[in-house]
Amino acid sequence: AVAEAVYQSVPPVTEKDGTKRRKILLICGPGNNGGDGLVAARHLFFFGHYDCTIVYPKRTSKEHFVNLVKQCEDVGIPFFDEMPGA
């Protein structure tokens, strides 16, 4: 549902030579909303129109979240422990 809301709010951009990938920054915490962000990043990646980056400063060792992080890392979504520089 989160990824679909992003898709509707930030739709893909079509250019003459094809679709341009949109950049999305997800800031995730250690709770359930953070887990939703991790899932959304993975879904947006598979939609094919988005380059996602995740800022995840307070990681948790709970197995569910560790698995979500691995799934994102396995498809090459970059993670930062703090906000990247401008």
Side-chain angles (χ1 to χ4, degrees), residues 2-80:
V2 174
E4 291 175 8
V6 171
Y7 186 87
Q8 290 176 2
S9 299
V10 186
V13 176
T14 303
E15 295 187 352
K16 292 179 184 177
D17 60 347
T19 300
K20 179 180 177 183
R21 295 177 70 84
R22 305 291 298 260
K23 294 183 182 199
I24 304 290
L25 177 67
L26 297 101
I27 303 170
C28 300
N32 290 335
N33 289 338
D36 291 343
L38 297 171
V39 171
R42 189 183 73 228
H43 288 178
L44 290 167
F45 171 85
F46 285 115
F47 287 172
H49 305 291
Y50 300 93
D51 287 328
C52 295
T53 300
I54 298 171
V55 177
Y56 194 22
K58 295 183 179 180
R59 294 190 189 207
T60 178
S61 60
K62 293 180 183 175
E63 183 179 6
H64 177 69
F65 290 90
V66 170
N67 291 338
L68 290 174
V69 168
K70 181 167 179 5
Q71 291 169 6
C72 290
E73 290 175 336
D74 285 350
V75 296
I77 298 172
F79 279 81
F80 291 92

